[in-house]
């Protein structure tokens, strides 16, 4: 399963997983983009690709993704928790409602999906050396704070913590979790920053997807709680 697969990192990861032979559930709000991607991947790779249009801010929508996946596939090897929103602003006057919405989308939906899908992941953990994998796309801002990123960074720090705890509770059953923590990646999300952070200095989407795919090949005997991807330069721990 790949959440936030309508564009950016999620779309590229869905392409890579389909190319590797995985049947997929892809989800986002953009129905047309999901339909086009599903058709393309089904035609190119002869895999089954189900789509679910859902808003991660709405709990019923999130649960409907899990239900659709269970009905269509009945098993789950890799859960890519990628859907996310970002909105910067100073702590002093950051709108608390925006903070709540970001937590719903970036953290709460991930928590609910993990709860819903843990039985399928545990079954993969018992039946395959690769186990059941949760790959959450967090962020460098979840590791090191930066101005204007208090809310976004807090959601990503929560995601990192969720992955750590999941490992402590379930890795011995073959369910492992990794929080992938990139600095700026050149996607729609960061287009507005292009004047201060040139696009060609941001991480390419392809590299983030390659890192995620590498994680899918590691057996569950090795736990990778975090994977940090940073841009070249004198400051490693900055977005
Ligand atoms: N770009 C960066 O610099 C960067 C760095 C570190 C981490 N990340 C993280 O990487 C992940 C992917 O981001 P991206 O850079 O690929 O951004 P993007 O191109 O804006 O893609 C975001 C994806 O999330 C989905 N999404 C957003 N809000 C949603 C909602 N309420 N319900 C359902 N789906 C929703 C979007 O689909 P719809 O709009 O169709 O719903 C889209 O597929 C995010 O979690 C982001 O925080 C990005």
């Amino acid at each position: 399963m790949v959440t936030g697969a309508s564009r950016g990192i999620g779309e590229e990861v869905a392409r890579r997983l389909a190319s590797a032979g995985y049947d997929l559930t892809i989800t986002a709000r953009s129905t047309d983009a999901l339909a086009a991607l599903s058709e393309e991947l089904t035609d190119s790779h002869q895999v089954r690709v189900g789509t679910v249009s859902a808003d991660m801010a709405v709990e019923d929508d999130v649960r409907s993704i899990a239900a659709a996946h269970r009905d269509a596939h009945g098993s789950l090897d890799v859960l890519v928790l990628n859907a996310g929103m970002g909105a910067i602003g100073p702590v002093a006057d950051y709108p608390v409602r925006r903070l709540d919405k970001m937590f719903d989308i970036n953290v709460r939906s991930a928590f609910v999906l993990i709860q819903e899908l843990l039985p399928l992941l545990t079954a993969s953990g018992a039946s395959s050396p690769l186990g059941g994998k949760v790959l959450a796309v967090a962020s460098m801002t979840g590791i090191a704070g930066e101005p204007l990123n208090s809310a976004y960074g807090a959601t990503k720090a929560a995601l990192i913590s969720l992955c750590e705890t999941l490992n402590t509770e379930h890795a011995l059953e073959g369910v492992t979790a990794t929080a992938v923590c990139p600095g700026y990646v050149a996607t729609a999300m960061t287009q507005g920053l292009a004047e201060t952070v040139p696009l060609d200095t941001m991480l390419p989407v392809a590299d983030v997807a390659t890192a995620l795919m590498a994680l899918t090949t590691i057996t569950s005997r090795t736990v990778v709680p975090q994977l940090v991807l940073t841009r070249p330069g004198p400051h490693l721990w900055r977005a």
Side-chain angles (χ1 to χ4, degrees):
M1 177 184 295
V2 184
T3 71
S6 59
R7 60 176 185 270
I9 296 167
E11 178 183 3
E12 181 62 17
V13 173
R15 281 181 203 285
R16 301 280 186 103
L17 286 167
S19 166
Y22 284 88
D23 293 328
L24 293 175
T25 295
I26 56 174
T27 178
R29 289 165 302 179
S30 308
T31 309
D32 292 350
L34 291 179
L37 183 61
S38 167
E39 190 178 332
E40 178 201 318
L41 298 183
T42 304
D43 288 351
S44 311
H45 304 295
Q46 288 75 53
V47 290
R48 291 185 298 130
V49 182
T51 66
V52 186
S53 303
D55 185 343
M56 292 305 216
V58 178
E59 183 175 334
D60 285 351
D61 277 24
V62 177
R63 293 194 189 279
S64 77
I65 299 169
H69 180 87
R70 274 192 297 267
D71 289 351
H73 300 288
S75 66
L76 181 63
D77 299 316
V78 182
L79 170 59
V80 182
L81 298 168
N82 166 77
M85 69 166 281
I88 56 173
V91 178
D93 57 5
Y94 199 88
V96 173
R97 284 182 59 189
R98 192 172 302 156
L99 173 74
D100 288 343
K101 181 157 190 191
M102 205 163 359
F103 261 96
D104 285 348
I105 294 169
N106 293 4
V107 183
R108 199 171 188 279
S109 73
F111 203 106
V112 170
L113 269 184
I114 289 171
Q115 281 187 332
E116 287 271 354
L117 294 166
L118 205 44
L120 296 187
L121 290 165
T122 307
S124 292
S127 64
S128 152
L130 293 173
K133 294 192 187 298
V134 175
L135 306 179
V137 184
S139 164
M140 182 68 86
T141 61
I143 292 178
E146 292 197 11
L148 308 185
N149 270 301
S150 60
Y152 180 73
T155 67
K156 296 303 187 178
L159 207 48
I160 293 167
S161 173
L162 175 58
C163 287
E164 283 189 5
T165 306
L166 196 65
N167 283 315
T168 64
E169 293 183 3
H170 291 281
L172 284 173
E173 299 162 35
V175 177
T176 58
T178 305
V180 176
C181 304
Y184 288 127
V185 185
T187 67
M189 188 178 276
T190 46
Q191 261 174 5
L193 294 172
E195 277 186 15
T196 42
V197 185
L199 286 175
D200 63 0
T201 71
M202 294 185 186
L203 308 182
V205 168
D207 286 353
V208 180
T210 298
L212 283 156
M213 290 305 293
L215 290 165
T216 68
T217 66
I218 292 174
T219 76
S220 61
R221 290 176 60 186
T222 301
V223 178
V224 187
Q226 274 177 29
L227 185 61
V228 174
L229 308 173
T230 192
R231 295 185 290 133
H235 306 294
L236 290 183
W237 307 105
R238 58 90 169 92

